[in-house]
Amino acid sequence: MLQNSHKRSAWITGSAAVLLLATSQLFASTGLDWLSSQINPDGSFEGAGSISTALQSTAETLRTFHTLGRINHPDAYSALQFLEADNYPSTEHLARRIIAGVGTGKDVSPLVSGLLNQVNADGGFGELPGYGSTVLDTALALEALAVAGTTGGEVIGYALGYLLDSQLGSGAWPDGGDRASVYITSLALH
């Protein structure tokens, strides 16, 4: 009797897992269909009235394609082309291009070198070389370096030190000044 109970439990658990997987695939396909309807002729994914830039929206959309295993989707290719055409050398632009490039199997070593050249004396990263360090730029740079496999060295240690020194007494991180930011805190923690 106990053996039948275990078999029944295993069957129920297995059936629930199959149902969950099928439901997840359906929602993912529906989401990808919606994303595909949002693409612009230039390959970007910036919507009307969006508070994000075309680079931000497109990079996050490409990350979604990668996460869902759909990196060979035609819209993913268009998005990558859009990102590769962007040559503004800011920390955020370089970091987002590195993350997207690694996700699609591109050689990102020139971008990583460019990013590493932007570290400031305080260990943080600013928008451009010579600009003051920010938590946002430093957190994005660290994520990109980690995704690219650059996990050691003084640059990483100093950048982590900059983030720790920038943390507020409440445990949050600021978006400039002393005002805590949920978005910046989540990036710093990530």
Side-chain angles (χ1 to χ4, degrees):
M1 179 89 153
L2 186 59
Q3 186 177 12
N4 285 339
S5 176
H6 286 298
K7 286 181 181 178
R8 196 170 328 138
S9 291
W11 182 84
I12 290 170
T13 302
S15 297
V18 168
L19 180 61
L20 181 62
L21 180 61
T23 303
S24 298
Q25 291 294 338
L26 174 66
F27 287 134
S29 292
T30 303
L32 287 173
D33 290 344
W34 181 83
L35 278 175
S36 290
S37 73
Q38 304 301 306
I39 193 166
N40 295 315
D42 65 357
S44 70
F45 280 88
E46 182 182 29
S50 176
I51 61 170
S52 63
T53 66
L55 177 95
Q56 293 166 338
S57 297
T58 305
E60 291 302 318
T61 300
L62 192 57
R63 187 188 304 225
T64 300
F65 281 117
H66 179 257
T67 300
L68 295 175
R70 306 288 175 84
I71 204 61
N72 292 325
H73 192 282
D75 292 340
Y77 178 76
S78 297
L80 183 60
Q81 293 299 105
F82 175 81
L83 292 178
E84 287 178 346
D86 182 298
N87 59 6
Y88 185 63
S90 76
T91 296
E92 180 177 2
H93 284 64
L94 288 169
R96 291 188 182 277
R97 289 177 59 206
I98 289 167
I99 294 166
V102 168
T104 58
K106 298 283 184 182
D107 175 20
V108 296
S109 55
L111 297 172
V112 169
S113 293
L115 185 60
L116 289 171
N117 287 329
Q118 296 196 179
V119 67
N120 288 325
D122 62 4
F125 290 78
E127 180 179 354
L128 294 165
Y131 282 53
S133 297
T134 68
V135 174
L136 171 68
D137 287 310
T138 304
L140 288 170
L142 280 170
E143 180 182 6
L145 293 171
V147 167
T150 308
T151 56
E154 289 182 347
V155 170
I156 304 297
Y158 289 139
L160 289 170
Y162 172 82
L163 286 182
L164 290 173
D165 288 344
S166 301
Q167 190 175 21
L168 301 174
S170 65
W173 275 270
D175 185 10
D178 292 330
R179 188 173 159 192
S181 166
V182 172
Y183 175 68
I184 300 299
T185 299
S186 68
L187 285 176
L189 287 171
H190 179 67

